Amino acid sequence: MVALGSFVGTTIEWYDFFLYGTAAALVFSPLFFPDISPAMGLIAAFGTYAVGFLARPLGGIVAGHIGDRVGRKSMLVASLMIMGTSTTLIGVLPTHDSIGMWAPILLLVLRLAQGFGVGGEWGGAALMSVESAPANRRGFYGSFTQIGVSAGMLLAVGAFSIFRTVLDEETFLAWGWRVPFLISGLLVFVGLLIRIGLSEPEKFAEMKQNDTIAEMPVVELFRTERRAVFLTTGMRLSQNAIYYLYTVFGIAYIARSLGSESSAGLNSVLIASAIGLVSVPVWAALSDRFGRRPLYLFGAVTSALFIAPFFLLADTGNPVLITLAMVVGLNIFHDAMYGPQAAFFSEMFSTGVRYSGASVGYQLGSVFAGGFSPLIATSLLALNNGRPWLVVAYFTVLSIITAVCAYLAPETNKSDINADSSSHDTTSSTNQEVRSISGM
């Protein structure tokens, strides 16, 4: 039930978040930035998209504090409410033609709310799954949080693809794009019904009952376990950047080759997202058997090697080759990192600061890589006269950082995540450092 609750809630949260990215790639430029060139309008749209990532660390810090002090469940319910409300409001937001500059300003405000909401989502959902899992299946159970991302992307891109197919371009721009945003309200209601019935993980409930919870979990985190924060942040860079380069920037790049009316980019992301429902838990289960670090290193290195072939295949304009590139890049190389990630990041922190640690590391990496990668890639593409090689260089640097951090991280798949009853105990802090050193 806990894994199902994490999956459903995370699916809804990421449906909302990815919906914005898809709309930014396809419709926000003419609707909210009509007074500038199409290229600059796309950069502006991706700029508002990136702003949502700036709010994610703040959401992660606030959610981490509440989650480590009050409980995982209460924060998960709150994050779902924040995300659903802001997404639904985007669906009724007037465009530039109606209210002028207020339209992009309000769009920006709602995007910030989305970022704050999703900032508190992942850490809580991952922890609920991992902390409630059997010791030898934490990777697999944690993957239910991860496949919620694939399911959310599948629903978001699918909703846009359906309405673009059944409506002509004029009708879609007039009102069709709004419907997927409005659907969010119904999905949130379903998610709340499931999450309200969840129970806190046993170890956290025990700590709360014994009053051994840190007064200031985030402060305690950076005092005792900051090394793990830096490593998880670094390990997010390649994984997060490549995902958004493919699924957001990639859609726009492919549309440039085939024309804005083509659905080849959307369809390739749809297929890869559907396969991700299987490939993510498979990689996660493999990490339970072979370890988190080797799979993560494999994903970081191969993703860097494949980014140039991806663009070469995208430039062919062949829908089959484009889909093949998307599937290989996402389901084989990216998912080798993403499948084990929920368990890997959760296991690197002790129980008392685990929500804060997993959330802060995860969300800081999202800011430095994921949120700005479509914006940076679009700017580098324009700077290099439409050739993608600066984008390849940019991603290669991120992959090197991720590979180094994964190499330095401890192997955690056999560790006892309940060994430290509280991270603000000096002995427990020492144990954390010993585990880190011994895993190098």
Side-chain angles (χ1 to χ4, degrees):
M1 182 63 181
V2 173
L4 176 63
S6 294
F7 168 68
V8 173
T10 305
T11 296
I12 296 168
E13 290 262 8
W14 288 105
Y15 167 81
D16 291 352
F17 203 73
F18 289 142
L19 202 59
Y20 192 102
T22 306
L26 298 176
V27 300
F28 281 169
S29 175
L31 293 176
F32 291 91
F33 305 98
D35 294 338
I36 53 181
S37 69
M40 291 305 298
L42 183 61
I43 291 175
F46 281 154
T48 64
Y49 174 76
V51 163
F53 286 78
L54 292 176
R56 285 174 64 168
L58 178 60
I61 291 171
V62 172
H65 177 81
I66 296 174
D68 282 330
R69 286 286 303 157
V70 179
R72 281 61 162 134
K73 172 183 168 180
S74 58
M75 197 58 238
L76 285 176
V77 170
S79 67
L80 192 59
M81 287 287 293
I82 293 169
M83 178 61 91
T85 301
S86 56
T87 303
T88 304
L89 288 176
I90 292 175
V92 297
L93 187 65
T95 62
H96 188 278
D97 287 344
S98 300
I99 58 173
M101 281 303 298
W102 279 108
I105 292 173
L106 291 174
L107 184 67
L108 198 66
V109 171
L110 292 174
R111 180 58 177 173
L112 285 170
Q114 275 195 326
F116 184 88
V118 84
E121 163 65 24
W122 183 87
L127 265 57
M128 289 287 282
S129 297
V130 173
E131 290 179 333
S132 302
N136 63 342
R137 302 292 302 280
R138 292 194 300 255
F140 178 71
Y141 276 74
S143 71
F144 281 85
T145 300
Q146 308 300 80
I147 61 175
V149 177
S150 294
M153 174 62 80
L154 184 63
L155 289 176
V157 177
F160 255 81
S161 183
I162 288 171
F163 282 94
R164 286 195 78 191
T165 301
V166 301
L167 300 174
D168 59 63
E169 189 73 10
E170 183 179 350
T171 306
F172 179 72
L173 288 175
W175 59 265
W177 69 272
R178 298 182 181 274
V179 180
F181 285 91
L182 297 176
I183 291 173
S184 173
L186 297 175
L187 296 177
V188 167
F189 178 74
V190 174
L192 287 174
L193 290 178
I194 294 175
R195 283 198 164 171
I196 288 173
L198 297 179
S199 300
E200 294 287 354
E202 182 178 346
K203 187 62 180 181
F204 178 80
E206 177 186 323
M207 290 180 62
K208 191 172 182 180
Q209 182 177 355
N210 295 335
D211 196 24
T212 56
I213 294 175
E215 289 294 327
M216 298 293 292
V218 176
V219 175
E220 191 70 17
L221 169 71
F222 281 96
R223 188 178 72 84
T224 62
E225 302 183 29
R226 58 183 174 273
R227 180 176 184 273
V229 175
F230 297 145
L231 290 177
T232 52
T233 298
M235 284 194 289
R236 273 286 278 172
L237 298 183
S238 173
Q239 175 271 309
N240 206 221
I242 197 63
Y243 190 80
Y244 289 106
L245 280 176
Y246 286 156
T247 61
V248 177
F249 172 76
I251 291 176
Y253 185 88
I254 292 166
R256 186 194 71 162
S257 299
L258 300 182
S260 60
E261 296 80 14
S262 173
S263 297
L266 281 173
N267 291 339
S268 67
V269 172
L270 272 173
I271 292 170
S273 297
I275 296 174
L277 297 175
V278 176
S279 61
V280 168
V282 166
W283 282 112
L286 288 173
S287 78
D288 284 328
R289 181 172 181 180
F290 299 108
R292 323 286 188 219
R293 289 174 69 237
L295 299 189
Y296 217 98
L297 281 167
F298 168 79
V301 173
T302 52
S303 290
L305 294 175
F306 188 69
I307 186 68
F310 172 84
F311 284 114
L312 292 174
L313 290 170
D315 283 336
T316 65
N318 185 315
V320 175
L321 293 179
I322 288 171
T323 300
L324 177 64
M326 194 70 74
V327 168
V328 171
L330 287 177
N331 302 126
I332 298 179
F333 302 143
H334 166 271
D335 287 353
M337 293 183 281
Y338 199 61
Q341 192 176 80
F344 201 2
F345 284 17
S346 298
E347 291 162 347
M348 289 182 67
F349 299 94
S350 54
T351 305
V353 295
R354 185 169 291 138
Y355 201 138
S356 299
S359 294
V360 171
Y362 187 92
Q363 303 304 346
L364 282 176
S366 299
V367 172
F368 295 144
F372 287 93
S373 59
L375 177 62
I376 292 172
T378 303
S379 301
L380 291 175
L381 194 69
L383 183 65
N384 203 34
N385 299 316
R387 296 187 296 270
W389 308 122
L390 290 179
V391 180
V392 172
Y394 156 69
F395 177 70
T396 301
V397 171
L398 296 182
S399 295
I400 291 171
I401 296 172
T402 290
V404 170
C405 288
Y407 176 78
L408 294 175
E411 180 54 73
T412 61
N413 72 325
K414 302 299 183 183
S415 63
D416 180 3
I417 63 172
N418 293 324
D420 295 336
S421 61
S422 172
S423 70
H424 61 277
D425 179 7
T426 303
T427 302
S428 123
S429 300
T430 303
N431 288 343
Q432 177 73 16
E433 290 298 320
V434 169
R435 286 203 308 272
S436 297
I437 294 170
S438 65
M440 289 176 59

